[in-house]
């Protein structure tokens, strides 16, 4: 196959390999010729071929495995959040809020006047901007610019795109929110895992990532998904100190749980940091279909984010913005949100306590899910639970490194279980954990 590869420069060689992949002449698993062999045949320097292979790896077309050489990647499907389709099992992996705990939008929607928005008008609805500025200012007293995007995923994707190019490195928590992994990888950025412990992103992990040259850091300050942990005060201060020497590294905080969180907001963005953004979506407390997120950022990032929005969505629907603003200022809707926060905390805490009674270790510091230690191979434990009617998320779905505590944990959404069903699940978990096959680690 190497006889088909042509080119004199790194970009030409990489482009020709991609042509062969697109045409089906090279397929997943096919090995590319050794660097020396291809360099001799093309009569180019070995460094040129090595640079071409690096371009292919950065683009996600190829993977290099040391002495095993470089080969075309097999694009495995990336796990995503949401319901599993076509299953009769009880799905514990959705990560969804309870529909019955979302405010009813109908009363507020009925009060919205017909106010058409035309091209050239302000992109943020004034009523939402006023409320959001007050809300975010309570946590970030330093000056910021406000933007609105079509949800947190849209915000993170555009924030990274305005600062990075393909092949740039991004520090992500390990384990990490599934959609963040997907967003970074599909854009062609390199992921650098930063371990998470009981107080969030570790200091040594962040320092190592910065030393490795990451251009951006994405962090969940509270209700970390999947573990539920949040930044402690001391940890946040240490992380800010580490970042103080890297003021132009873009720091993105995804505060997805905000109004539902029982933990205080603690930031790793210091007062002197030059490039930063705080993202707060409304999906967990107003519903995933309200595709809207509020982004507070420094002026430079806000300007570049605006330029990324202009050729695409241009602006988020003002009708949607005014609906969100109306719900967030409506006393009845805020009462529903408060009750939802208490409900999730109460149900998750009850499940953790019930698990402990049956010898199962589970954690639910914050967020919609519980993090269950199966003391062994989580994938085998998940398969065992499937035979009992449960569908759970293995922790290695969320792992960047494929090692550490994540591979022995399951993430479960249990807040909608009745007491009877919760007890049945805990009993099945207890039997699964004591099953030798489920506890065997590969």
């Amino acid at each position: 196959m190497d006889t088909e590869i042509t080119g004199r420069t790194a970009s030409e060689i990489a482009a020709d390999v991609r042509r062969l992949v697109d045409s089906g002449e090279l397929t997943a698993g096919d090995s590319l010729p050794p660097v020396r062999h291809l360099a001799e045949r093309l009569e180019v320097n070995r460094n040129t071929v090595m640079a071409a292979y690096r371009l292919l790896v950065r683009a996600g077309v190829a993977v290099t495995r040391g002495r095993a050489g470089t080969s075309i990647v097999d694009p495995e499907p990336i796990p995503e959040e949401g319901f599993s389709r076509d299953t009769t099992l009880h799905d514990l992996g959705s990560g969804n809020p309870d529909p019955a705990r979302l405010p009813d939008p109908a009363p507020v929607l009925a009060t919205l006047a017909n106010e058409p928005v035309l091209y050239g008008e302000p992109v943020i609805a004034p009523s939402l901007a006023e409320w959001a500025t007050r809300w975010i200012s309570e946590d970030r007293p330093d000056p910021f610019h406000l933007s609105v995007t079509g949800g947190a995923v849209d915000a993170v994707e555009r924030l990274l795109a305005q600062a990075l190019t393909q092949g740039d490195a991004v520090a992500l928590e390990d384990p990490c929110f599934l959609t963040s992994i997907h967003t970074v990888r599909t854009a062609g950025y390199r992921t650098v895992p930063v371990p998470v412990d009981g107080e969030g992103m570790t200091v040594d992990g962040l320092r190592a990532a910065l030393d490795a040259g990451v251009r951006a850091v994405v962090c969940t300050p509270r209700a970390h998904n999947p573990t539920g942990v949040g930044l402690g005060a001391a940890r946040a201060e240490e992380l800010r100190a580490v970042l103080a020497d890297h003021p132009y590294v873009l720091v993105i905080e995804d505060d997805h749980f905000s109004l539902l969180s029982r933990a205080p907001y603690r930031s790793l963005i210091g007062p002197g940091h030059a490039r930063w953004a705080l993202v707060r979506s409304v999906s967990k407390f107003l519903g995933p279909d309200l595709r809207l997120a509020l982004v507070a950022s420094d002026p430079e990032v806000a300007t570049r984010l605006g330029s990324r929005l202009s050729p695409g969505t241009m602006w988020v629907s003002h009708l949607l913005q005014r609906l969100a603003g109306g719900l967030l200022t409506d006393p009845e809707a805020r009462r529903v949100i408060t009750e939802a926060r208490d409900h999730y905390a109460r149900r998750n805490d009850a499940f953790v306590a019930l698990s402990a009674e049956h010898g199962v270790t589970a954690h639910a510091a914050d967020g919609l899910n519980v993090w269950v230690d199966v003391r062994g191979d989580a994938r085998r434990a998940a398969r065992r639970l499937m035979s009992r009617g449960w569908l759970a998320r293995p922790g290695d779905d969320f792992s960047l490194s494929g090692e550490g505590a994540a591979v022995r944990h399951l993430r479960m959404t249990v807040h909608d279980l009745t007491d009877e069903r919760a007890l049945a699940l805990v009993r099945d978990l207890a039997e699964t954990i004591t099953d030798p096959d489920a506890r065997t680690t590969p």
Side-chain angles (χ1 to χ4, degrees), residues 364-422:
D366 202 7
L368 289 176
N369 309 292
V370 295
W371 191 234
V372 182
D373 189 347
V374 297
R375 308 173 198 166
D377 183 355
R379 286 208 172 272
R380 292 188 182 183
R383 289 195 293 270
R384 180 71 180 234
L385 285 173
M386 287 179 68
S387 69
R388 295 169 177 261
W390 307 100
L391 188 63
R393 284 259 190 207
D396 53 356
D397 275 358
F398 307 89
S399 176
L400 291 168
S401 61
E403 56 188 27
V407 300
R408 68 168 193 267
H409 280 78
L410 297 173
R411 195 202 71 176
M412 296 181 169
T413 308
V414 300
H415 57 73
D416 60 344
L417 295 178
T418 64
D419 291 343
E420 182 180 8
R421 291 291 284 164

Short mmCIF file of all heavy atoms in Angstrom, two decimals, residues 364-422:
data_model
loop_
_atom_site.label_atom_id
_atom_site.label_comp_id
_atom_site.label_asym_id
_atom_site.label_seq_id
_atom_site.Cartn_x
_atom_site.Cartn_y
_atom_site.Cartn_z
N ALA A 364 -22.17 10.46 46.77
CA ALA A 364 -23.07 11.41 46.10
C ALA A 364 -22.85 12.78 46.70
O ALA A 364 -23.74 13.36 47.31
CB ALA A 364 -24.52 10.98 46.26
N ALA A 365 -21.65 13.32 46.51
CA ALA A 365 -21.34 14.62 47.09
C ALA A 365 -22.26 15.71 46.54
O ALA A 365 -22.74 16.57 47.29
CB ALA A 365 -19.88 14.98 46.81
N ASP A 366 -22.53 15.67 45.24
CA ASP A 366 -23.35 16.70 44.60
C ASP A 366 -23.69 16.21 43.20
O ASP A 366 -23.02 15.33 42.65
CB ASP A 366 -22.58 18.02 44.53
CG ASP A 366 -23.48 19.24 44.40
OD1 ASP A 366 -24.71 19.09 44.49
OD2 ASP A 366 -22.94 20.35 44.21
N GLY A 367 -24.72 16.77 42.60
CA GLY A 367 -25.06 16.40 41.23
C GLY A 367 -26.24 15.45 41.15
O GLY A 367 -26.89 15.14 42.14
N LEU A 368 -26.49 14.97 39.93
CA LEU A 368 -27.66 14.11 39.68
C LEU A 368 -27.38 12.64 39.90
O LEU A 368 -28.31 11.84 39.94
CB LEU A 368 -28.14 14.31 38.23
CG LEU A 368 -28.80 15.65 37.90
CD1 LEU A 368 -29.12 15.71 36.41
CD2 LEU A 368 -30.07 15.83 38.71
N ASN A 369 -26.10 12.24 40.03
CA ASN A 369 -25.76 10.83 40.01
C ASN A 369 -25.06 10.38 41.29
O ASN A 369 -24.63 11.20 42.10
CB ASN A 369 -24.82 10.55 38.82
CG ASN A 369 -25.36 11.11 37.51
OD1 ASN A 369 -26.36 10.63 37.01
ND2 ASN A 369 -24.71 12.13 36.98
N VAL A 370 -24.96 9.06 41.44
CA VAL A 370 -24.14 8.48 42.50
C VAL A 370 -23.00 7.71 41.83
O VAL A 370 -23.12 7.24 40.70
CB VAL A 370 -24.97 7.55 43.42
CG1 VAL A 370 -26.01 8.34 44.18
CG2 VAL A 370 -25.62 6.42 42.64
N TRP A 371 -21.91 7.60 42.54
CA TRP A 371 -20.65 7.00 42.06
C TRP A 371 -20.40 5.79 42.94
O TRP A 371 -20.11 5.92 44.12
CB TRP A 371 -19.56 8.04 42.16
CG TRP A 371 -18.23 7.79 41.52
CD1 TRP A 371 -17.02 7.86 42.15
CD2 TRP A 371 -17.94 7.52 40.13
NE1 TRP A 371 -16.01 7.65 41.25
CE2 TRP A 371 -16.55 7.44 40.01
CE3 TRP A 371 -18.73 7.34 39.01
CZ2 TRP A 371 -15.91 7.19 38.79
CZ3 TRP A 371 -18.10 7.09 37.79
CH2 TRP A 371 -16.72 7.01 37.68
N VAL A 372 -20.53 4.59 42.37
CA VAL A 372 -20.55 3.35 43.15
C VAL A 372 -19.27 2.56 42.91
O VAL A 372 -18.91 2.26 41.76
CB VAL A 372 -21.78 2.49 42.77
CG1 VAL A 372 -21.80 1.21 43.62
CG2 VAL A 372 -23.07 3.27 42.98
N ASP A 373 -18.60 2.20 43.99
CA ASP A 373 -17.37 1.42 43.93
C ASP A 373 -17.73 -0.06 43.91
O ASP A 373 -18.29 -0.59 44.88
CB ASP A 373 -16.50 1.74 45.15
CG ASP A 373 -15.10 1.13 45.04
OD1 ASP A 373 -14.89 0.28 44.17
OD2 ASP A 373 -14.23 1.51 45.84
N VAL A 374 -17.42 -0.75 42.81
CA VAL A 374 -17.72 -2.18 42.70
C VAL A 374 -16.51 -3.04 43.07
O VAL A 374 -16.57 -4.27 42.96
CB VAL A 374 -18.23 -2.55 41.29
CG1 VAL A 374 -19.53 -1.83 41.00
CG2 VAL A 374 -17.19 -2.23 40.22
N ARG A 375 -15.41 -2.39 43.47
CA ARG A 375 -14.21 -3.09 43.98
C ARG A 375 -13.60 -4.04 42.95
O ARG A 375 -13.01 -5.08 43.32
CB ARG A 375 -14.53 -3.85 45.26
CG ARG A 375 -15.20 -3.01 46.33
CD ARG A 375 -15.63 -3.86 47.49
NE ARG A 375 -16.61 -3.20 48.33
CZ ARG A 375 -17.34 -3.81 49.25
NH1 ARG A 375 -17.18 -5.10 49.46
NH2 ARG A 375 -18.23 -3.14 49.95
N GLY A 376 -13.75 -3.74 41.70
CA GLY A 376 -13.20 -4.60 40.66
C GLY A 376 -13.49 -4.03 39.30
O GLY A 376 -13.61 -2.80 39.13
N ASP A 377 -13.61 -4.88 38.33
CA ASP A 377 -13.82 -4.48 36.95
C ASP A 377 -15.26 -3.97 36.77
O ASP A 377 -16.22 -4.75 36.82
CB ASP A 377 -13.55 -5.68 36.04
CG ASP A 377 -13.68 -5.34 34.56
OD1 ASP A 377 -14.08 -4.19 34.25
OD2 ASP A 377 -13.40 -6.21 33.72
N ALA A 378 -15.42 -2.68 36.53
CA ALA A 378 -16.75 -2.09 36.44
C ALA A 378 -17.53 -2.61 35.24
O ALA A 378 -18.75 -2.75 35.30
CB ALA A 378 -16.66 -0.56 36.39
N ARG A 379 -16.84 -2.90 34.14
CA ARG A 379 -17.56 -3.39 32.96
C ARG A 379 -18.15 -4.77 33.21
O ARG A 379 -19.27 -5.07 32.79
CB ARG A 379 -16.63 -3.43 31.74
CG ARG A 379 -16.34 -2.05 31.19
CD ARG A 379 -16.04 -2.06 29.71
NE ARG A 379 -15.95 -0.69 29.20
CZ ARG A 379 -16.97 0.00 28.77
NH1 ARG A 379 -18.18 -0.54 28.76
NH2 ARG A 379 -16.83 1.23 28.32
N ARG A 380 -17.40 -5.60 33.90
CA ARG A 380 -17.95 -6.92 34.23
C ARG A 380 -19.10 -6.79 35.21
O ARG A 380 -20.10 -7.51 35.11
CB ARG A 380 -16.85 -7.82 34.80
CG ARG A 380 -15.79 -8.19 33.78
CD ARG A 380 -14.83 -9.22 34.32
NE ARG A 380 -13.80 -9.53 33.35
CZ ARG A 380 -12.84 -10.44 33.54
NH1 ARG A 380 -12.79 -11.11 34.66
NH2 ARG A 380 -11.94 -10.65 32.60
N ALA A 381 -18.97 -5.88 36.15
CA ALA A 381 -20.06 -5.65 37.10
C ALA A 381 -21.30 -5.15 36.37
O ALA A 381 -22.44 -5.55 36.68
CB ALA A 381 -19.63 -4.66 38.16
N ALA A 382 -21.10 -4.26 35.37
CA ALA A 382 -22.23 -3.74 34.60
C ALA A 382 -22.92 -4.86 33.83
O ALA A 382 -24.16 -4.89 33.75
CB ALA A 382 -21.75 -2.65 33.66
N ARG A 383 -22.15 -5.77 33.26
CA ARG A 383 -22.75 -6.89 32.54
C ARG A 383 -23.55 -7.78 33.47
O ARG A 383 -24.62 -8.29 33.12
CB ARG A 383 -21.67 -7.71 31.81
CG ARG A 383 -21.07 -6.99 30.62
CD ARG A 383 -20.30 -7.96 29.74
NE ARG A 383 -19.10 -8.46 30.41
CZ ARG A 383 -17.92 -7.89 30.34
NH1 ARG A 383 -17.76 -6.77 29.65
NH2 ARG A 383 -16.88 -8.42 30.95
N ARG A 384 -23.03 -7.97 34.69
CA ARG A 384 -23.74 -8.78 35.68
C ARG A 384 -25.07 -8.11 36.06
O ARG A 384 -26.10 -8.78 36.20
CB ARG A 384 -22.85 -8.95 36.92
CG ARG A 384 -23.45 -9.76 38.06
CD ARG A 384 -23.55 -11.23 37.71
NE ARG A 384 -24.12 -11.98 38.81
CZ ARG A 384 -23.56 -13.05 39.36
NH1 ARG A 384 -22.39 -13.47 38.91
NH2 ARG A 384 -24.16 -13.71 40.34
N LEU A 385 -25.06 -6.80 36.21
CA LEU A 385 -26.29 -6.08 36.53
C LEU A 385 -27.29 -6.14 35.38
O LEU A 385 -28.51 -6.15 35.61
CB LEU A 385 -25.97 -4.62 36.87
CG LEU A 385 -25.34 -4.36 38.23
CD1 LEU A 385 -24.94 -2.89 38.35
CD2 LEU A 385 -26.30 -4.73 39.36
N MET A 386 -26.81 -6.17 34.15
CA MET A 386 -27.71 -6.27 33.01
C MET A 386 -28.55 -7.54 33.08
O MET A 386 -29.74 -7.53 32.73
CB MET A 386 -26.92 -6.25 31.70
CG MET A 386 -26.35 -4.88 31.33
SD MET A 386 -25.39 -4.92 29.79
CE MET A 386 -26.67 -5.25 28.60
N SER A 387 -27.95 -8.62 33.55
CA SER A 387 -28.70 -9.88 33.66
C SER A 387 -29.78 -9.79 34.73
O SER A 387 -30.69 -10.63 34.78
CB SER A 387 -27.74 -11.04 33.99
OG SER A 387 -27.21 -10.90 35.30
N ARG A 388 -29.71 -8.75 35.57
CA ARG A 388 -30.70 -8.55 36.61
C ARG A 388 -31.65 -7.40 36.28
O ARG A 388 -32.44 -6.97 37.12
CB ARG A 388 -30.01 -8.28 37.96
CG ARG A 388 -29.21 -9.49 38.47
CD ARG A 388 -28.33 -9.13 39.66
NE ARG A 388 -27.65 -10.31 40.17
CZ ARG A 388 -28.04 -11.01 41.24
NH1 ARG A 388 -29.14 -10.63 41.89
NH2 ARG A 388 -27.38 -12.06 41.64
N GLY A 389 -31.52 -6.87 35.06
CA GLY A 389 -32.48 -5.86 34.61
C GLY A 389 -32.06 -4.42 34.75
O GLY A 389 -32.87 -3.51 34.57
N TRP A 390 -30.75 -4.17 35.04
CA TRP A 390 -30.27 -2.80 35.24
C TRP A 390 -29.24 -2.44 34.19
O TRP A 390 -28.39 -3.26 33.84
CB TRP A 390 -29.64 -2.64 36.62
CG TRP A 390 -30.48 -3.08 37.78
CD1 TRP A 390 -30.38 -4.25 38.45
CD2 TRP A 390 -31.54 -2.33 38.38
NE1 TRP A 390 -31.31 -4.29 39.46
CE2 TRP A 390 -32.04 -3.13 39.45
CE3 TRP A 390 -32.12 -1.09 38.15
CZ2 TRP A 390 -33.09 -2.73 40.26
CZ3 TRP A 390 -33.17 -0.67 38.97
CH2 TRP A 390 -33.64 -1.47 39.99
N LEU A 391 -29.28 -1.20 33.72
CA LEU A 391 -28.30 -0.71 32.76
C LEU A 391 -27.55 0.45 33.39
O LEU A 391 -28.11 1.52 33.63
CB LEU A 391 -28.99 -0.25 31.48
CG LEU A 391 -28.10 0.12 30.29
CD1 LEU A 391 -27.30 -1.09 29.82
CD2 LEU A 391 -28.94 0.67 29.15
N ALA A 392 -26.25 0.23 33.69
CA ALA A 392 -25.43 1.23 34.38
C ALA A 392 -24.25 1.65 33.51
O ALA A 392 -23.84 0.92 32.59
CB ALA A 392 -24.94 0.69 35.71
N ARG A 393 -23.69 2.81 33.82
CA ARG A 393 -22.53 3.34 33.09
C ARG A 393 -21.23 2.90 33.77
O ARG A 393 -20.97 3.29 34.90
CB ARG A 393 -22.56 4.86 33.08
CG ARG A 393 -23.58 5.44 32.11
CD ARG A 393 -22.88 5.89 30.86
NE ARG A 393 -23.77 6.66 30.01
CZ ARG A 393 -23.65 6.74 28.71
NH1 ARG A 393 -22.66 6.10 28.12
NH2 ARG A 393 -24.49 7.45 27.99
N PRO A 394 -20.37 2.13 33.11
CA PRO A 394 -19.07 1.82 33.68
C PRO A 394 -18.20 3.07 33.76
O PRO A 394 -18.25 3.93 32.86
CB PRO A 394 -18.46 0.79 32.71
CG PRO A 394 -19.58 0.37 31.83
CD PRO A 394 -20.58 1.47 31.82
N GLY A 395 -17.42 3.18 34.80
CA GLY A 395 -16.61 4.37 35.00
C GLY A 395 -15.58 4.61 33.93
O GLY A 395 -15.20 5.76 33.67
N ASP A 396 -15.11 3.54 33.25
CA ASP A 396 -14.09 3.77 32.25
C ASP A 396 -14.65 4.44 31.00
O ASP A 396 -13.88 4.89 30.15
CB ASP A 396 -13.31 2.50 31.90
CG ASP A 396 -14.20 1.35 31.51
OD1 ASP A 396 -15.43 1.49 31.57
OD2 ASP A 396 -13.66 0.28 31.14
N ASP A 397 -15.98 4.55 30.88
CA ASP A 397 -16.55 5.39 29.81
C ASP A 397 -16.08 6.83 29.96
O ASP A 397 -15.95 7.56 28.98
CB ASP A 397 -18.09 5.37 29.87
CG ASP A 397 -18.69 4.19 29.13
OD1 ASP A 397 -17.93 3.40 28.54
OD2 ASP A 397 -19.93 4.06 29.14
N PHE A 398 -15.86 7.24 31.21
CA PHE A 398 -15.51 8.62 31.52
C PHE A 398 -14.00 8.83 31.67
O PHE A 398 -13.55 9.94 31.91
CB PHE A 398 -16.19 9.05 32.83
CG PHE A 398 -17.67 8.83 32.85
CD1 PHE A 398 -18.21 7.62 33.30
CD2 PHE A 398 -18.55 9.82 32.43
CE1 PHE A 398 -19.57 7.41 33.31
CE2 PHE A 398 -19.91 9.62 32.45
CZ PHE A 398 -20.43 8.41 32.88
N SER A 399 -13.24 7.75 31.54
CA SER A 399 -11.80 7.82 31.81
C SER A 399 -11.01 8.17 30.57
O SER A 399 -11.24 7.62 29.49
CB SER A 399 -11.32 6.47 32.37
OG SER A 399 -9.92 6.48 32.57
N LEU A 400 -10.06 9.09 30.72
CA LEU A 400 -9.14 9.44 29.64
C LEU A 400 -7.93 8.53 29.62
O LEU A 400 -7.39 8.20 28.58
CB LEU A 400 -8.69 10.89 29.78
CG LEU A 400 -9.74 11.97 29.54
CD1 LEU A 400 -9.22 13.32 30.00
CD2 LEU A 400 -10.13 12.03 28.07
N SER A 401 -7.50 8.12 30.80
CA SER A 401 -6.28 7.34 30.92
C SER A 401 -6.53 5.84 30.90
O SER A 401 -5.61 5.05 30.68
CB SER A 401 -5.55 7.70 32.22
OG SER A 401 -6.37 7.42 33.35
N GLY A 402 -7.80 5.42 31.15
CA GLY A 402 -8.12 4.00 31.20
C GLY A 402 -7.60 3.30 32.42
O GLY A 402 -7.52 2.07 32.46
N GLU A 403 -7.28 4.07 33.44
CA GLU A 403 -6.78 3.48 34.68
C GLU A 403 -7.24 4.31 35.86
O GLU A 403 -7.97 5.29 35.71
CB GLU A 403 -5.25 3.41 34.66
CG GLU A 403 -4.58 4.75 34.43
CD GLU A 403 -3.07 4.64 34.22
OE1 GLU A 403 -2.62 3.58 33.76
OE2 GLU A 403 -2.36 5.61 34.54
N GLY A 404 -6.86 3.92 37.06
CA GLY A 404 -7.27 4.66 38.26
C GLY A 404 -8.61 4.19 38.79
O GLY A 404 -9.14 3.15 38.39
N ALA A 405 -9.17 4.98 39.69
CA ALA A 405 -10.39 4.58 40.39
C ALA A 405 -11.59 4.44 39.47
O ALA A 405 -12.52 3.68 39.76
CB ALA A 405 -10.70 5.58 41.51
N ALA A 406 -11.60 5.16 38.36
CA ALA A 406 -12.79 5.16 37.49
C ALA A 406 -13.13 3.77 36.99
O ALA A 406 -14.31 3.43 36.85
CB ALA A 406 -12.57 6.11 36.32
N VAL A 407 -12.13 2.94 36.73
CA VAL A 407 -12.40 1.64 36.12
C VAL A 407 -13.05 0.66 37.08
O VAL A 407 -13.49 -0.42 36.66
CB VAL A 407 -11.10 1.02 35.55
CG1 VAL A 407 -10.50 1.91 34.50
CG2 VAL A 407 -10.08 0.75 36.66
N ARG A 408 -13.15 1.02 38.37
CA ARG A 408 -13.84 0.14 39.31
C ARG A 408 -15.13 0.78 39.83
O ARG A 408 -15.68 0.33 40.83
CB ARG A 408 -12.92 -0.24 40.46
CG ARG A 408 -12.54 0.89 41.41
CD ARG A 408 -11.87 0.34 42.68
NE ARG A 408 -11.78 1.35 43.70
CZ ARG A 408 -10.74 2.15 43.88
NH1 ARG A 408 -9.70 2.06 43.07
NH2 ARG A 408 -10.75 3.04 44.85
N HIS A 409 -15.60 1.81 39.16
CA HIS A 409 -16.82 2.50 39.58
C HIS A 409 -17.91 2.42 38.51
O HIS A 409 -17.63 2.28 37.32
CB HIS A 409 -16.54 3.97 39.88
CG HIS A 409 -15.92 4.21 41.22
ND1 HIS A 409 -14.59 3.98 41.48
CD2 HIS A 409 -16.46 4.66 42.39
CE1 HIS A 409 -14.32 4.29 42.74
NE2 HIS A 409 -15.44 4.70 43.31
N LEU A 410 -19.15 2.56 38.96
CA LEU A 410 -20.30 2.72 38.09
C LEU A 410 -20.95 4.06 38.40
O LEU A 410 -21.04 4.45 39.56
CB LEU A 410 -21.34 1.62 38.33
CG LEU A 410 -20.92 0.18 38.05
CD1 LEU A 410 -22.03 -0.77 38.51
CD2 LEU A 410 -20.63 -0.03 36.57
N ARG A 411 -21.38 4.76 37.35
CA ARG A 411 -22.17 5.97 37.58
C ARG A 411 -23.64 5.64 37.38
O ARG A 411 -24.02 5.08 36.35
CB ARG A 411 -21.77 7.09 36.61
CG ARG A 411 -22.29 8.46 37.03
CD ARG A 411 -22.38 9.43 35.88
NE ARG A 411 -23.47 9.11 34.96
CZ ARG A 411 -23.81 9.85 33.92
NH1 ARG A 411 -23.12 10.95 33.64
NH2 ARG A 411 -24.80 9.50 33.12
N MET A 412 -24.45 6.02 38.36
CA MET A 412 -25.87 5.66 38.31
C MET A 412 -26.75 6.86 38.62
O MET A 412 -26.46 7.64 39.53
CB MET A 412 -26.18 4.56 39.34
CG MET A 412 -25.47 3.25 39.08
SD MET A 412 -25.92 2.02 40.31
CE MET A 412 -25.23 0.54 39.58
N THR A 413 -27.82 6.99 37.85
CA THR A 413 -28.84 8.00 38.10
C THR A 413 -29.98 7.30 38.82
O THR A 413 -30.72 6.53 38.21
CB THR A 413 -29.33 8.62 36.78
OG1 THR A 413 -28.21 9.05 36.00
CG2 THR A 413 -30.25 9.80 37.04
N VAL A 414 -30.13 7.57 40.11
CA VAL A 414 -31.07 6.80 40.95
C VAL A 414 -32.14 7.66 41.60
O VAL A 414 -32.97 7.15 42.35
CB VAL A 414 -30.30 6.03 42.04
CG1 VAL A 414 -29.29 5.06 41.42
CG2 VAL A 414 -29.59 6.98 43.00
N HIS A 415 -32.12 8.98 41.34
CA HIS A 415 -33.03 9.86 42.09
C HIS A 415 -34.51 9.60 41.78
O HIS A 415 -35.38 10.01 42.54
CB HIS A 415 -32.69 11.33 41.81
CG HIS A 415 -32.72 11.72 40.36
ND1 HIS A 415 -33.88 11.87 39.65
CD2 HIS A 415 -31.70 11.99 39.50
CE1 HIS A 415 -33.60 12.22 38.42
NE2 HIS A 415 -32.28 12.30 38.28
N ASP A 416 -34.79 8.90 40.67
CA ASP A 416 -36.19 8.63 40.31
C ASP A 416 -36.67 7.25 40.76
O ASP A 416 -37.81 6.86 40.47
CB ASP A 416 -36.38 8.78 38.80
CG ASP A 416 -35.50 7.82 38.00
OD1 ASP A 416 -34.54 7.28 38.58
OD2 ASP A 416 -35.78 7.64 36.79
N LEU A 417 -35.83 6.50 41.46
CA LEU A 417 -36.22 5.17 41.93
C LEU A 417 -37.13 5.26 43.14
O LEU A 417 -36.92 6.07 44.04
CB LEU A 417 -34.99 4.34 42.29
CG LEU A 417 -34.01 3.97 41.18
CD1 LEU A 417 -32.84 3.19 41.76
CD2 LEU A 417 -34.70 3.18 40.07
N THR A 418 -38.14 4.41 43.18
CA THR A 418 -38.93 4.29 44.40
C THR A 418 -38.09 3.61 45.47
O THR A 418 -37.04 3.02 45.18
CB THR A 418 -40.18 3.43 44.15
OG1 THR A 418 -39.77 2.09 43.80
CG2 THR A 418 -41.04 4.02 43.02
N ASP A 419 -38.52 3.68 46.71
CA ASP A 419 -37.78 3.03 47.79
C ASP A 419 -37.64 1.53 47.53
O ASP A 419 -36.58 0.94 47.78
CB ASP A 419 -38.50 3.25 49.12
CG ASP A 419 -38.44 4.70 49.59
OD1 ASP A 419 -37.58 5.45 49.07
OD2 ASP A 419 -39.23 5.08 50.48
N GLU A 420 -38.69 0.93 47.00
CA GLU A 420 -38.66 -0.51 46.73
C GLU A 420 -37.64 -0.84 45.65
O GLU A 420 -36.85 -1.79 45.79
CB GLU A 420 -40.05 -0.97 46.30
CG GLU A 420 -40.14 -2.47 46.03
CD GLU A 420 -41.53 -2.91 45.59
OE1 GLU A 420 -42.38 -2.02 45.35
OE2 GLU A 420 -41.76 -4.13 45.50
N ARG A 421 -37.63 -0.06 44.58
CA ARG A 421 -36.69 -0.31 43.49
C ARG A 421 -35.25 -0.01 43.92
O ARG A 421 -34.31 -0.68 43.51
CB ARG A 421 -37.06 0.53 42.27
CG ARG A 421 -38.34 0.10 41.60
CD ARG A 421 -38.20 -1.25 40.93
NE ARG A 421 -37.45 -1.15 39.68
CZ ARG A 421 -36.91 -2.20 39.05
NH1 ARG A 421 -37.01 -3.41 39.59
NH2 ARG A 421 -36.26 -2.04 37.92
N ALA A 422 -35.07 1.03 44.73
CA ALA A 422 -33.74 1.35 45.23
C ALA A 422 -33.18 0.19 46.06
O ALA A 422 -32.01 -0.16 45.94
CB ALA A 422 -33.78 2.63 46.05
#
